[in-house]
Amino acid sequence: MKPVILVTRKLPDAVEQRLLRDYDARLNPGDDLYSADELVKRAEGADAILPCHTEKFTAEVIARLPKSVRAIANFSVGYDHVDTKAAKEHGLIVTNTPEVLSDATAELTMMLMLGAARRASEGERLVRTREWKDWSPSFMVGTQVTGKRLGIIGFGRVGQVVAKRARGFDMEIHYNDLQRLPSEIEAGAIYHKTPEELLPHCDFLALHCVAIPETFRLLNAARIALLPDGAIVVNASRGAVIDDDALIAALKSGKLTAAGLDVYNNEPTNIHPGYRELPNVFLMPHIGSATKETRIAMGFRALDNLDAIFAGKEPLDRVA
Ligand code: DGY
C-alpha cells in the first residue's frame, strides 16, 4: 500500500502528478486554507503531511495530530511555523526545502532594493491613476544602487546569492553571520562580528537571517539608529526579524529613505497598518520563491525528502 500524504495547498501540476504516481495523495484542488481543526481532521489516517508555511504546527496542533502521522515535509525553506521541539517530542520527522529557492528569493531581494531605491510604488501609482502630468529634473528622484555598500545579515544560501547579484551593480558587500565564512564564499565580502559593527557600513541593508528567538525583532530602534542616515532596508526573510513600529518611525522621520518588504508580522491580513500609508515603502505579498521553476523544485525537494523517509533512509533536509 502506498503511504497516505495530506497535501495542504494546491501544488504545481508536475508535483501533484508525482505525488499521485508515488503516493496515496490527498490533494487540495481548491487551495483552501485549512484551519487547525480541519488540518487535524484531514490528517486522520495520513502517514505524512506536506504543508506550507501557511499552516501553523504549534505544540497544541502537533499534540492533536493522529498517531499515524510520521513526518511533516514542508514545502518551504523556513520552518518557523513548526514547533520543532514539540515535533521531536512526538517523534515526528520534519524537513524543509533549502537551496532550490535561493535564486528566486535573491531576485526578489534585488527587486525590493531597486523598487525601494527608485520609488517604484509611487511611480507605478502615478501612471495608473493618471496623476503623472509632467517631467522635470526634480521629478521622482530616487537613490542610485550602483556602487553603494550593501550589508547582509544572515550570509547563508540566499544571502550569498544576493551578494553575487549585487556585485553586478558594483556594490561593496558587507555581512554579519554567526561566524566568518571561508574566503571563497566571501568572495571579497567584508565580515562584521555583530549587527552593531555591520550597520554603520550599510547604505542598503538586506535581512536574510532565519526567524528564531535570537533574531526576533533584530532590527529595532537602537540598531536602526546605527545605520547611516538615508539608508534603505529590505526584508525577504520573515517579518519577525523587524520591529515594525521602529521601522515605520524611521521611515517617517527620514532617518531611512525607504524600505522594501516581502514579509511581515501577522501577514497576510493583519500587517502593521502604518506600512500601507507610507509612500516610501515598496511592498510585495510574500512572493520570494514564487517562480514556476522554483515552485516545482520546492515540491520535488519535499518529495525527495518523503521518498527517503518512506524508504527508511535519512532525508536530505531534516530539521527535526
Ligand atoms: C519559504 O520557503 O520559507 C518561503 O517563505 C515560502 O514559505
Side-chain angles (χ1 to χ4, degrees):
M1 261 184 18
K2 291 175 178 177
V4 177
I5 312 295
L6 172 65
V7 182
T8 63
R9 304 305 300 259
K10 173 87 187 87
L11 298 182
D13 289 347
V15 179
E16 292 195 341
Q17 278 157 22
R18 185 171 146 186
L19 263 160
L20 291 168
R21 186 193 67 194
D22 299 341
Y23 294 97
D24 181 354
R26 295 182 186 163
L27 303 180
N28 180 357
D31 203 22
D32 304 317
L33 180 61
Y34 297 153
S35 66
D37 285 348
E38 256 177 303
L39 185 67
V40 170
K41 206 166 117 208
R42 286 174 186 272
E44 201 52 59
D47 296 292
I49 305 177
L50 198 165
C52 297
H53 77 265
T54 45
E55 289 74 52
K56 312 290 174 222
F57 289 87
T58 60
E60 198 247 320
V61 170
I62 286 173
R64 292 173 58 204
L65 286 178
K67 295 271 170 293
S68 59
V69 176
R70 288 174 50 195
I72 299 173
N74 289 295
F75 183 95
S76 66
V77 64
Y79 52 92
D80 48 305
H81 57 286
V82 181
D83 185 329
T84 47
K85 190 170 161 275
K88 258 189 222 160
E89 282 164 12
H90 280 76
L92 288 170
I93 297 172
V94 182
T95 58
N96 70 340
T97 58
E99 292 163 6
V100 291
L101 44 63
S102 305
D103 285 331
T105 308
E107 280 179 11
L108 199 276
T109 302
M110 295 309 296
M111 178 175 151
L112 294 177
M113 280 171 47
L114 292 163
R118 301 302 299 273
R119 306 172 57 178
S121 291
E122 287 173 85
E124 226 235 357
R125 195 187 56 80
L126 281 175
V127 179
R128 283 187 191 277
T129 59
R130 299 173 191 262
E131 284 172 64
W132 177 33
K133 302 281 186 230
D134 190 14
W135 185 96
S136 93
S138 57
F139 173 64
M140 282 282 304
V141 175
T143 303
Q144 192 140 314
V145 173
T146 301
K148 297 285 169 62
R149 296 169 299 174
L150 168 63
I152 300 174
I153 297 186
F155 209 59
R157 299 175 186 93
V158 179
Q160 289 167 29
V161 182
V162 169
K164 250 192 216 165
R165 303 294 173 259
R167 285 189 194 101
F169 284 84
D170 298 333
M171 297 187 93
E172 181 181 286
I173 313 299
H174 295 251
Y175 76 99
N176 160 249
D177 207 317
L178 292 180
Q179 48 203 5
R180 188 167 173 182
L181 288 140
S183 58
E184 62 274 20
I185 293 178
E186 279 186 339
I190 300 157
Y191 178 63
H192 300 266
K193 247 190 163 149
T194 61
E196 282 72 15
E197 283 175 28
L198 168 81
L199 293 167
H201 303 278
C202 305
D203 302 312
F204 287 78
L205 173 68
L207 300 169
H208 290 294
C209 42
V210 290
I212 49 175
E214 293 77 4
T215 58
F216 183 73
R217 308 287 186 261
L218 179 136
L219 192 67
N220 56 20
R223 292 206 174 102
I224 289 173
L226 297 174
L227 285 163
D229 289 347
I232 291 177
V233 169
V234 301
N235 186 18
S237 60
R238 285 291 186 264
V241 304
I242 287 185
D243 175 336
D244 291 326
D245 286 329
L247 181 61
I248 288 168
L251 288 162
K252 277 187 178 159
S253 71
K255 166 68 189 172
L256 297 178
T257 294
L261 305 174
D262 185 46
V263 288
Y264 309 83
N265 290 296
N266 304 317
E267 64 179 54
T269 51
N270 204 19
I271 69 167
H272 195 302
Y275 289 127
R276 299 189 214 275
E277 284 154 25
L278 286 172
N280 53 342
V281 287
F282 180 55
L283 305 174
M284 284 287 123
H286 199 146
I287 54 162
S289 62
T291 67
K292 290 185 206 108
E293 299 84 344
T294 292
R295 288 287 157 86
I296 291 172
M298 288 168 76
F300 282 178
R301 187 83 173 218
L303 286 177
D304 290 347
N305 285 318
L306 281 177
D307 291 352
I309 291 166
F310 290 107
K313 295 184 192 146
E314 185 64 12
L316 187 60
D317 307 310
R318 184 167 185 167
V319 292

